[in-house]
Amino acid sequence: MAAARPAAGLAAPLHPKLSRGVAGRRTSVPLLEAWAKAERDPARPLVWFHAPSVGEGLMAQAIMAALWELRPDVQLAFTHFSPSAERLAARVGADVHGYLPWDTRGPMRRMLEVFRPALIAFVRTEIWPVLTREAGRRGVRLALVNAILPESSSRLRPLSRWLLGPAYARLDAVGAVAAEDAGRFPRLGVAEERVHVTGDARFDQVWARVQRGAGKGGGGQEASATARILDRLRDADAFTVVAGSTWPADEAHLVPAFAELRAAVPDARLIIAPHEPDQAHLAGLERTLDQAGLAHARLAEVEKSAGPLPPAVLIDRVGILADLYAIADATYVGGGFHAAGLHSVVEPAALERPVLFGPRNSNAREAAELEAAGGGFTVRNAAEITRRLAEFATDPERRREAGRAAVAYVRSRLGGAAANARILAGLIDRAPAGPRPGVAPPGPGSPGPRAPRA
């Protein structure tokens, strides 16, 4: 990490997001220190949550809420790595939030000194070697919650195990989302008896949001603005398809499929929210729509007009996709034709909407589970997209049946946030750990720690 800091500083002016991250880390330690000096109550245990980005931050939010129910005496700190999580950080429910400092000895020692945490909870995947080492030397408990470890993970490669093995070996507990993930953590050096299967807190987070009324706006200026957008786009006379987190590879199949659907279902409307709604992506999508003969407008234009909506509306901002799913008759989740893989299908499923997605979805276990439950549908080309959308457009009962199956699947997966919170509460209640300098890492060519027994 120390070697990466100069490189990040040099590259930052060329990349706005990276620049925000560098600037945020430059000021994070003084800001967090200022909070600690004014607000840290040494009589109360502090749990320090760290999440890499937005998705993991939302998982942390659900686990924090569940932990608060169990231990209302705790103070909560939240750090993140990605600038994408800046807006979310203020809403996760922590007493203080900010960027994680660079994982070097000086900043981490300063943070540990002022926070004096009882426990550090890493969320999902990202743990930091220097922080775990310095925390272990102070007897701070360490946990990885809502964790995944697919067989394809680079962390299971010999060199990664050699580099990260000591950090994983210091963990007092791992809460894994599924048994297959749990079974792989001992290969990284986690003691087998410290690994538990908890389920996925993401379902609880999404479900809580749905229960609060996704798609209905709510209190606050930002929520009111979203409610006005939804009112403008909602059309009871149209068959509305909301496509979220799309990439050009998705749009190459989806747009011609929708154009074909319009020939049979003239009142069909496509609301499409690109994964990265920057100018280049939006302009490319507009060209794709033009080639398909579909009239379109960006959301900013639609908001200025009171006239009829065009067949396609392009969402030119972030932060409203989960609400948009609520006004859909059917949904499409992007990434399934893209190299990075499928994005989350949980949000539209929780809103009782049938969910379509492309074939490259092996990265998302819940997609296969949703399909097996009858609420999700793999589509391999434009023809299959057209056929499936036409089925839902012309058979409302079939559409409702798929929606009911989708929401039943989500309900069946609730409880992960509480299970992870129970692990953390148990660690808080235990006596402080002694100094744990870690274990000697296996060599790059060694098999690493033993695998769990079958």
Side-chain angles (χ1 to χ4, degrees):
M1 177 61 74
R5 292 176 63 183
L10 291 172
L14 305 176
H15 195 295
K17 186 174 179 181
L18 180 59
S19 180
R20 292 203 333 262
V22 170
R25 258 169 282 282
R26 186 179 299 120
T27 59
S28 61
V29 173
L31 290 173
L32 295 171
E33 280 183 325
W35 173 85
K37 290 174 181 176
E39 304 292 340
R40 177 72 180 100
D41 182 354
R44 300 167 61 190
L46 181 139
V47 180
W48 176 358
F49 280 82
H50 174 69
S53 192
V54 175
E56 297 86 358
L58 291 169
M59 298 169 200
Q61 181 181 40
I63 299 170
M64 283 183 189
L67 180 60
W68 191 271
E69 292 291 322
L70 296 172
R71 291 293 303 260
D73 60 318
V74 299
Q75 289 187 294
L76 299 173
F78 174 77
T79 58
H80 58 90
F81 190 85
S82 172
S84 302
E86 281 181 0
R87 292 177 60 194
L88 167 74
R91 304 196 302 269
V92 297
D95 296 287
V96 64
H97 62 86
Y99 277 89
L100 182 76
W102 294 110
D103 191 45
T104 55
R105 187 171 58 182
M108 289 309 178
R109 284 184 172 181
R110 287 172 64 186
M111 293 314 309
L112 289 165
E113 182 64 30
V114 296
F115 272 174
R116 286 162 288 168
L119 168 65
I120 299 174
F122 300 98
V123 181
R124 202 64 165 182
T125 57
E126 186 177 282
I127 68 174
W128 290 97
V130 174
L131 177 55
T132 61
R133 185 186 69 222
E134 295 299 324
R137 287 174 175 171
R138 289 163 173 76
V140 177
R141 296 288 182 187
L142 298 166
L144 177 64
V145 293
N146 219 55
I148 59 170
L149 186 59
E151 187 62 45
S152 60
S153 172
S154 62
R155 287 171 288 162
L156 291 172
R157 295 172 187 167
L159 181 60
S160 295
R161 294 206 313 271
W162 178 69
L163 291 170
L164 297 174
Y168 280 96
R170 296 182 189 110
L171 294 173
D172 294 284
V174 172
V177 303
E180 47 267 49
D181 297 282
R184 298 183 186 109
F185 277 99
R187 290 158 60 183
L188 289 174
V190 184
E192 191 173 334
E193 66 274 10
R194 296 181 178 183
V195 184
H196 313 272
V197 179
T198 59
D200 194 339
R202 177 171 43 174
F203 290 90
D204 300 273
Q205 180 271 320
V206 171
W207 187 251
R209 189 177 190 282
V210 168
Q211 297 305 106
R212 290 195 300 268
K216 300 177 184 177
Q221 185 174 356
E222 185 175 336
S224 298
T226 300
R228 288 193 295 273
I229 290 170
L230 299 177
D231 287 342
R232 179 71 178 98
L233 297 178
R234 192 179 280 113
D235 186 347
D237 297 324
F239 173 73
T240 300
V241 179
V242 173
S245 298
T246 62
W247 295 85
D250 296 291
E251 295 148 12
H253 296 272
L254 178 63
V255 170
F258 184 77
E260 184 70 21
L261 175 71
R262 286 265 305 176
V265 186
D267 65 349
R269 176 168 295 113
L270 176 64
I271 298 174
I272 185 165
H275 180 67
E276 296 179 345
D278 54 31
Q279 179 58 33
H281 191 155
L282 291 169
L285 177 54
E286 287 168 332
R287 289 191 293 271
T288 301
L289 290 163
D290 288 337
Q291 292 166 4
L294 289 168
H296 55 82
R298 298 187 186 188
L299 178 59
E301 302 169 43
V302 168
E303 289 179 289
K304 297 175 184 176
S305 167
L309 295 173
V313 177
L314 286 67
I315 304 302
D316 52 9
R317 66 203 65 175
V318 298
I320 62 172
L321 177 57
D323 294 283
L324 290 172
Y325 284 135
I327 65 171
D329 295 298
T331 66
Y332 175 94
V333 172
F337 289 97
H338 182 71
L342 187 65
H343 296 286
S344 176
V345 300
V346 178
E347 286 81 2
L351 287 160
E352 207 166 337
R353 301 310 193 260
V355 189
L356 278 60
F357 41 81
R360 302 182 74 164
N361 54 55
S362 60
N363 67 301
R365 180 188 293 114
E366 60 273 16
E369 294 175 347
L370 182 61
E371 187 157 24
F377 305 86
T378 298
V379 285
R380 295 169 179 81
N381 50 50
E384 290 189 13
I385 297 173
T386 302
R387 185 166 62 251
R388 188 65 72 178
L389 290 177
E391 175 188 6
F392 292 138
T394 58
D395 189 344
E397 181 51 37
R398 175 72 183 99
R399 185 170 75 233
R400 286 190 288 269
E401 177 188 12
R404 289 192 293 267
V407 75
Y409 163 71
V410 173
R411 286 197 186 105
S412 74
R413 295 298 187 270
L414 298 179
N420 280 286
R422 286 193 293 272
I423 290 173
L424 300 181
L427 291 175
I428 296 170
D429 290 334
R430 286 165 56 184
R436 289 165 291 146
V439 297
S446 75
R450 64 182 176 87
R453 293 187 298 272

Short mmCIF file of all heavy atoms in Angstrom, two decimals, residues 30 112 171 175 216 229 254 280 284 341 348 367 385 387 406 432:
data_model
loop_
_atom_site.label_atom_id
_atom_site.label_comp_id
_atom_site.label_asym_id
_atom_site.label_seq_id
_atom_site.Cartn_x
_atom_site.Cartn_y
_atom_site.Cartn_z
N PRO A 30 -7.38 13.32 10.05
CA PRO A 30 -7.71 14.46 10.94
C PRO A 30 -9.20 14.56 11.24
O PRO A 30 -9.58 14.87 12.39
CB PRO A 30 -7.22 15.67 10.15
CG PRO A 30 -6.15 15.14 9.25
CD PRO A 30 -6.60 13.77 8.87
N LEU A 112 -6.32 3.61 15.29
CA LEU A 112 -6.55 2.67 16.39
C LEU A 112 -6.39 3.36 17.74
O LEU A 112 -7.13 3.05 18.70
CB LEU A 112 -5.58 1.49 16.28
CG LEU A 112 -5.87 0.53 15.11
CD1 LEU A 112 -4.67 -0.37 14.85
CD2 LEU A 112 -7.12 -0.31 15.40
N LEU A 171 -8.26 -13.26 11.86
CA LEU A 171 -9.69 -13.06 12.03
C LEU A 171 -10.23 -13.94 13.16
O LEU A 171 -9.98 -15.14 13.21
CB LEU A 171 -10.44 -13.38 10.73
CG LEU A 171 -10.17 -12.45 9.54
CD1 LEU A 171 -10.85 -12.99 8.29
CD2 LEU A 171 -10.65 -11.03 9.84
N GLY A 175 -18.35 -14.55 8.95
CA GLY A 175 -19.73 -14.86 8.65
C GLY A 175 -19.88 -14.97 7.14
O GLY A 175 -19.85 -13.95 6.44
N LYS A 216 -42.06 5.18 -3.78
CA LYS A 216 -43.09 6.10 -3.30
C LYS A 216 -42.53 7.42 -2.81
O LYS A 216 -43.25 8.23 -2.24
CB LYS A 216 -43.88 5.43 -2.16
CG LYS A 216 -44.58 4.15 -2.59
CD LYS A 216 -45.28 3.50 -1.41
CE LYS A 216 -45.90 2.17 -1.81
NZ LYS A 216 -46.53 1.49 -0.66
N ILE A 229 -40.13 12.34 -10.10
CA ILE A 229 -39.65 11.62 -11.29
C ILE A 229 -40.52 10.40 -11.54
O ILE A 229 -40.95 10.13 -12.68
CB ILE A 229 -38.18 11.21 -11.10
CG1 ILE A 229 -37.28 12.44 -11.13
CG2 ILE A 229 -37.75 10.20 -12.17
CD1 ILE A 229 -35.85 12.16 -10.72
N LEU A 254 -30.78 -5.85 -26.01
CA LEU A 254 -32.04 -5.37 -25.44
C LEU A 254 -32.77 -4.40 -26.36
O LEU A 254 -34.00 -4.50 -26.53
CB LEU A 254 -31.74 -4.70 -24.10
CG LEU A 254 -32.93 -4.09 -23.36
CD1 LEU A 254 -33.95 -5.16 -22.99
CD2 LEU A 254 -32.45 -3.34 -22.11
N ALA A 280 -20.46 9.70 -22.68
CA ALA A 280 -20.07 8.76 -23.74
C ALA A 280 -21.05 7.59 -23.82
O ALA A 280 -21.47 7.18 -24.91
CB ALA A 280 -18.65 8.25 -23.49
N GLY A 284 -23.74 6.84 -26.92
CA GLY A 284 -23.70 5.57 -27.62
C GLY A 284 -25.04 4.86 -27.58
O GLY A 284 -25.49 4.26 -28.57
N GLY A 341 -19.83 -9.48 -15.48
CA GLY A 341 -20.88 -10.31 -14.91
C GLY A 341 -22.09 -9.52 -14.44
O GLY A 341 -22.13 -8.29 -14.47
N PRO A 348 -35.22 -5.75 -7.89
CA PRO A 348 -36.50 -5.94 -8.58
C PRO A 348 -37.27 -7.15 -8.08
O PRO A 348 -38.51 -7.14 -8.05
CB PRO A 348 -36.09 -6.09 -10.05
CG PRO A 348 -34.65 -6.49 -10.02
CD PRO A 348 -34.08 -5.83 -8.81
N ALA A 367 -28.93 -15.24 -8.88
CA ALA A 367 -29.62 -15.30 -10.17
C ALA A 367 -30.09 -16.72 -10.46
O ALA A 367 -31.24 -16.94 -10.87
CB ALA A 367 -28.69 -14.81 -11.28
N ILE A 385 -35.23 -12.34 -25.47
CA ILE A 385 -35.72 -11.18 -24.72
C ILE A 385 -37.10 -10.79 -25.21
O ILE A 385 -38.04 -10.58 -24.43
CB ILE A 385 -34.75 -9.99 -24.83
CG1 ILE A 385 -33.39 -10.34 -24.22
CG2 ILE A 385 -35.33 -8.76 -24.13
CD1 ILE A 385 -32.33 -9.27 -24.45
N ARG A 387 -39.32 -12.59 -26.81
CA ARG A 387 -40.31 -13.62 -26.52
C ARG A 387 -40.75 -13.56 -25.05
O ARG A 387 -41.94 -13.65 -24.74
CB ARG A 387 -39.75 -14.99 -26.85
CG ARG A 387 -40.74 -16.13 -26.68
CD ARG A 387 -40.27 -17.42 -27.33
NE ARG A 387 -39.03 -17.92 -26.75
CZ ARG A 387 -37.85 -17.90 -27.35
NH1 ARG A 387 -37.73 -17.38 -28.57
NH2 ARG A 387 -36.79 -18.40 -26.76
N ALA A 406 -40.74 -14.36 -7.33
CA ALA A 406 -39.55 -13.57 -7.06
C ALA A 406 -39.53 -13.06 -5.63
O ALA A 406 -38.53 -13.18 -4.91
CB ALA A 406 -39.47 -12.40 -8.04
N PRO A 432 -11.10 -9.01 25.89
CA PRO A 432 -10.18 -8.59 24.83
C PRO A 432 -9.16 -9.68 24.51
O PRO A 432 -8.71 -10.40 25.39
CB PRO A 432 -9.49 -7.34 25.43
CG PRO A 432 -10.46 -6.85 26.45
CD PRO A 432 -11.13 -8.07 27.01
#
